[in-house]
Amino acid sequence: MPGPLLTPARVAGDRRRYGPGDLFRVAVILRAKEAGLGLDEIREMIAARAASERREILR
């Protein structure tokens, strides 16, 4: 099973703590979904290290 798209920090009581990086990632995920990408494609794009890899996924 692929990894999660978000990995927020955990605090007392196993509550999730979202930071600015998480908010940026949510924005990227929402924009990618609006563009028609599925969650697996979004996960692959986020995991890509090189800009050329991300461009290829977006094509």
Side-chain angles (χ1 to χ4, degrees):
M1 177 179 211
L5 289 172
L6 291 172
T7 53
R10 298 285 180 157
V11 294
D14 205 32
R15 296 179 66 166
R16 295 174 183 94
R17 175 75 51 149
Y18 295 93
D22 296 311
L23 297 178
F24 178 79
R25 185 169 275 205
V26 168
V28 168
I29 292 166
L30 291 174
R31 293 295 299 260
K33 285 183 64 67
E34 288 173 4
L37 275 70
L39 292 178
D40 288 335
E41 293 166 315
I42 295 169
R43 187 177 290 109
E44 187 179 342
M45 183 183 64
I46 288 173
R49 300 251 184 233
S52 60
E53 291 177 57
R54 290 188 292 275
R55 281 192 297 273
E56 187 59 36
I57 293 165
L58 290 172
R59 282 190 193 113

